[in-house]
Amino acid sequence: MLDSLPKDKSQKVIPNGYEEKVWKVTASDAAKNCKNYIRDIVDNLVLEPNPEKSLIALSIGDPTVYGNLSPPTETVQAVLEIVAEGKYNGYGPTVGTDDARKAVAKYLSFDGVEYNYKDVILCSGCSSSLDLCITALADPNKGHNIVIPKPGFTIYKTLAESIGVEVRNYNLIPEYDWIVDLAHLEAQIDNNTAAIVINNPSNPCGSVYSEDHLKDILDIAYKYKVPIIADEIYERLVFSETRFVSIAAVNSRVPVLVCGGLAKRFLVPGWRMGWILFNDPIGAFDSEIKKGLICLSQKTIGSNSIVQGALPTILELTPQKFYDDLNDTLYKNAKSAYDIISQINGLTPYMPAGTMYMMIKIEIQCFPQFQTGLDFMQRLMEEESVFCLPGECFGITGFMRIVITVPSEMLSEACERMSGFCKRYYQ
């Protein structure tokens, strides 16, 4: 047997009866269908900043990038103590520990809503929460579709299409603070609609829906017997005199899966702690969906155990002053940017009511040198080293989104650069 092997190790041994073939491994449909729509657009732009000006990135929805916003001291200390204790280094229940789930249930029980800890599933960030909810509700083998906001965060489309579920868009109306176009929403729903995604407060719009508007949305959902997936990752991250109302607090007969997490309000997106809460007044989820979500949570074998251990302290002891100061800082940044951009010919800013973003309309007809908003954004980067995300990243043309989490002086500088840029090209 050994004598039959080639002495030259570079020679290949081919078993008798087999022909040598090129070894090609093909990707699954799920892998091929998984598309990051923001990267798909941004990667095709020529983004070379002006070397004579420092780059100001108003594109990234990570509030930690510039170091000017920090999580509360109590949050950091809680995690340090849990690490030192060493009691949470192992696996826990895939849905989360009872103590952590009780803390989340208590934290989100307000405005008349009362959650039981058994209504909570902990996940690896809010994106994981959304993934599990879409997967549990929408079945491509049944021809299901989901309806999502336009403009809206593209993760919904990425998650649905990766498993073969059709995505339909319903319009938001910029002139009316980005409320849902109810007639258009209703027109997207059919017998195969598995879920309506509601993002409130909104990324990228910064809008915050009133209780009456949420009721109108729920009336449509009830009419067609379609459950809601509520993305509330920005819950209570709203500005002065604006009240956040969870869709769960609106009296209805519509089953809702509420998704959220620590990422935004606590300024720790990298900690990957999200949650799903069942708000189901009629028991529509009891037979299959709750069990299905528990089974799906087993795919990741639970969320971050260290952060779970710290959750009761984080959610109980973070002072209200931290929340108020963060909201106030974001409001001041938004107002400053809005005041400057409002004076720029060719741009129309929409003052947000919350979150970390502002949408700006580009009156592209006033800039004949540019055919599209993408052209406008690319040249802004080349000449002024200011990078914003074009509206195409959120499914809408002729707009751009800026983040308002950057240091105030940097944000003002970026807006002034936009002003100079527009003065050169406005006609």
Side-chain angles (χ1 to χ4, degrees):
M1 174 65 75
L2 293 177
D3 291 340
S4 65
L5 294 176
K7 295 180 181 179
D8 183 353
K9 293 184 179 180
S10 66
Q11 291 182 270
K12 298 178 181 179
V13 178
I14 303 173
N16 292 333
Y18 287 89
E19 294 183 8
E20 184 176 12
K21 296 181 180 179
V22 175
W23 190 356
K24 183 179 180 181
V25 181
T26 59
S28 67
D29 287 343
K32 288 186 285 189
N33 291 336
C34 190
K35 183 177 180 181
N36 184 320
Y37 286 90
I38 293 178
R39 293 307 328 167
D40 187 59
I41 292 170
V42 172
D43 288 348
N44 287 314
L45 295 175
V46 179
L47 296 173
E48 293 293 336
N50 184 339
E52 296 181 359
K53 296 186 177 184
S54 60
L55 175 64
I56 302 178
L58 302 181
S59 57
I60 305 171
D62 181 346
T64 71
V65 170
Y66 287 100
N68 57 308
L69 298 177
S70 301
T73 303
E74 293 80 4
T75 294
V76 176
Q77 187 60 37
V79 171
L80 292 175
E81 291 176 1
I82 289 298
V83 171
E85 285 180 13
K87 297 179 181 178
Y88 288 87
N89 295 332
Y91 294 121
T94 61
V95 295
T97 64
D98 286 355
D99 285 346
R101 293 164 75 195
K102 287 175 182 177
V104 172
K106 181 180 179 181
Y107 169 71
L108 292 175
S109 292
F110 62 93
D111 280 353
V113 179
E114 291 292 334
Y115 287 110
N116 185 286
Y117 80 97
K118 294 182 180 179
D119 296 324
V120 179
I121 294 176
L122 300 184
C123 306
S124 183
C126 188
S127 57
S128 173
S129 306
L130 293 164
D131 187 19
L132 297 191
C133 290
I134 291 171
T135 303
L137 292 175
D139 189 342
N141 296 319
K142 296 178 181 178
H144 282 166
N145 64 75
I146 66 169
V147 293
I148 67 173
K150 175 186 176 180
F153 191 39
T154 55
I155 190 68
Y156 315 128
K157 189 173 184 181
T158 297
L159 296 173
E161 290 185 344
S162 70
I163 59 172
V165 170
E166 179 191 356
V167 172
R168 299 178 179 183
N169 297 288
Y170 62 85
N171 292 334
L172 308 181
I173 309 173
E175 296 79 10
Y176 295 95
D177 297 324
W178 300 102
I179 64 171
V180 174
D181 183 334
L182 297 172
H184 192 247
L185 168 62
E186 189 166 2
Q188 306 313 305
I189 298 171
D190 64 16
N191 290 333
N192 289 324
T193 301
I196 301 169
V197 176
I198 301 296
N199 178 206
N200 177 51
S202 166
N203 174 16
C205 303
S207 54
V208 181
Y209 295 154
S210 69
E211 184 172 354
D212 286 343
H213 189 54
L214 290 171
K215 186 178 185 305
D216 290 338
I217 295 168
L218 287 166
D219 285 346
I220 292 173
Y222 182 76
K223 177 179 178 180
Y224 293 96
K225 303 299 184 289
V226 179
I228 298 283
I229 298 174
D231 180 358
E232 296 186 354
I233 186 62
Y234 296 96
E235 54 90 17
R236 288 180 277 188
L237 200 62
V238 298
F239 304 153
S240 58
E241 300 182 5
T242 300
R243 176 171 170 255
F244 166 73
V245 179
S246 172
I247 200 167
V250 182
N251 186 26
S252 76
R253 295 163 289 176
V254 177
V256 179
L257 296 174
V258 178
C259 299
L262 289 183
K264 305 300 184 178
R265 197 180 188 213
F266 292 83
L267 305 175
V268 286
W271 289 11
R272 311 311 301 144
M273 176 52 63
W275 46 67
I276 302 168
L277 287 93
F278 295 87
N279 183 260
D280 183 15
I282 61 173
F285 291 145
D286 287 348
S287 60
E288 293 187 7
I289 298 303
K290 184 171 284 191
K291 180 180 178 181
L293 280 168
I294 291 172
C295 291
L296 287 170
S297 73
Q298 296 168 2
K299 290 171 61 177
T300 56
I301 320 188
S303 61
N304 189 312
S305 61
I306 297 295
V307 182
Q308 282 190 57
L311 261 183
T313 301
I314 292 171
L315 298 179
E316 182 72 28
L317 297 186
T318 297
Q320 184 62 40
K321 186 177 186 303
F322 169 79
Y323 304 129
D324 294 342
D325 287 350
L326 175 59
N327 288 357
D328 186 56
T329 296
L330 294 174
Y331 170 75
K332 288 178 179 177
N333 280 3
K335 186 64 168 60
S336 173
Y338 178 82
D339 288 344
I340 297 173
I341 298 171
S342 294
Q343 302 302 313
I344 302 175
N345 289 331
L347 299 183
T348 302
Y350 292 83
M351 181 65 190
T355 75
M356 301 175 168
Y357 314 103
M358 177 187 292
M359 287 289 276
I360 302 168
K361 185 177 182 180
I362 306 169
E363 306 289 350
I364 199 66
Q365 72 277 7
C366 298
F367 302 97
Q369 299 87 346
F370 310 119
Q371 293 185 344
T372 67
L374 288 172
D375 294 337
F376 181 97
M377 296 302 310
Q378 185 167 310
R379 188 70 66 84
L380 178 65
M381 178 67 160
E382 291 172 354
E383 296 187 12
E384 298 294 342
S385 297
V386 174
F387 181 35
C388 313
L389 285 185
E392 284 81 356
C393 289
F394 307 99
I396 190 171
T397 60
F399 286 83
M400 60 182 176
R401 188 200 76 172
I402 65 171
V403 300
I404 55 174
T405 55
V406 302
S408 57
E409 64 278 4
M410 188 177 292
L411 182 59
S412 296
E413 170 67 18
C415 293
E416 293 295 348
R417 291 188 196 178
M418 288 184 204
S419 178
F421 177 82
C422 289
K423 285 178 182 177
R424 289 197 295 273
Y425 292 104
Y426 178 82
Q427 293 183 19

